[in-house]
Amino acid sequence: MHEDGFIGRIEWAVAGRALPGQQVSGDRGLVLDTGGGTVLFAVLDGLGHGAAAADAADRAARVLSENRAEPLDVLMVLCHRAMADTRGAAVSLALFDEGDRVRWLGVGNVESQVLTAGPAGLKVHATVLLTAGIVGYRLPANLQPQSVAVRPGDLLLMSTDGIVTESATRIDLSKSTADITAEMLTRHAKDTDDALVLAARHRGAGGAAG
């Protein structure tokens, strides 16, 4: 699965695949325009793999699509309720605006990072603080979204645990998000799990492709 596009000046791409030998993946990547120049990015990793994991992730995806304008902590609670009779999922949410910040919240092991180019090369500017738990089964009592400053050109990278994330600092930021996600999936997906990676960045004034 490969998808990419622009919402305003925010460039995004998602690449994913099922565990080799399986027909469906329990990993989902969502890109939702919330209006007002903000985009909600979500990566969902249904527990395990196969149809039961996909069902859990699909329920959360529907809730997010229908309630995209709600605050991140409210969205997490809604996902938790919707997946109460499923295996549950790891969920990371990131609200990316066309200004200078990302707000994010993660429960479980879906990693989210902001990568930035520095004098010594690419570095991790910020990493979401993940809270232990399983959305749909055991939700932490205190959900505290974080906020991190970003600059045009910084890359938001979100990935399930089927991706080896140590590879992130070797990304070529000059490439499109579509190329970045496709290469990460090809080169760094584990053979033992579903895998999905999402990338997004604000391209700056005039950055969107026509």
Side-chain angles (χ1 to χ4, degrees):
M1 181 272 290
H2 296 267
E3 297 178 312
D4 63 270
F6 277 87
I7 298 178
R9 292 193 295 273
I10 298 175
E11 175 200 10
W12 63 269
V14 181
R17 60 114 177 97
L19 170 72
Q22 294 286 323
Q23 297 299 311
V24 296
S25 173
D27 292 357
R28 296 286 180 274
L30 272 74
V31 181
L32 301 168
D33 187 350
T34 63
T38 62
V39 182
L40 176 65
F41 295 102
V43 172
L44 319 168
D45 184 351
L47 210 62
H49 51 78
D55 175 56
D58 285 341
R59 291 203 201 184
R62 284 194 295 271
V63 165
L64 294 171
S65 296
E66 294 167 0
N67 300 276
R68 63 187 69 184
E70 294 290 342
L72 298 183
D73 55 341
V74 173
L75 289 173
M76 198 70 78
V77 171
L78 292 174
C79 287
H80 179 68
R81 292 173 180 168
M83 290 190 289
D85 60 345
T86 73
R87 289 183 175 183
V91 177
S92 278
L93 308 174
L95 195 63
F96 197 120
D97 64 36
E98 290 192 342
D100 59 358
R101 66 175 176 164
V102 172
R103 290 186 295 259
W104 53 14
L105 178 64
V107 175
N109 56 358
V110 172
E111 291 197 29
S112 300
Q113 302 174 325
V114 171
L115 305 173
T116 190
L122 189 63
K123 67 176 183 177
V124 177
H125 171 60
T127 301
V128 68
L129 178 63
L130 296 173
T131 305
I134 301 169
V135 185
Y137 174 65
R138 187 177 68 253
L139 194 68
N142 189 23
L143 295 170
Q144 291 287 344
Q146 301 165 259
S147 181
V148 59
V150 294
R151 301 176 302 178
D154 287 354
L155 187 76
L156 169 67
L157 191 69
M158 306 173 72
S159 58
T160 65
D161 63 352
I163 297 288
V164 180
T165 54
E166 289 81 3
S167 59
T169 53
R170 296 195 292 272
I171 289 172
D172 183 352
L173 281 187
S174 69
K175 294 185 176 182
S176 68
T177 53
D179 287 344
I180 288 170
T181 53
E183 288 182 10
M184 287 198 70
L185 185 68
T186 299
R187 297 179 182 178
H188 304 295
K190 301 176 185 176
D191 292 333
T192 54
D193 202 355
D194 302 328
L196 184 138
V197 58
L198 181 154
R201 65 181 159 205
H202 178 210
R203 297 288 290 184

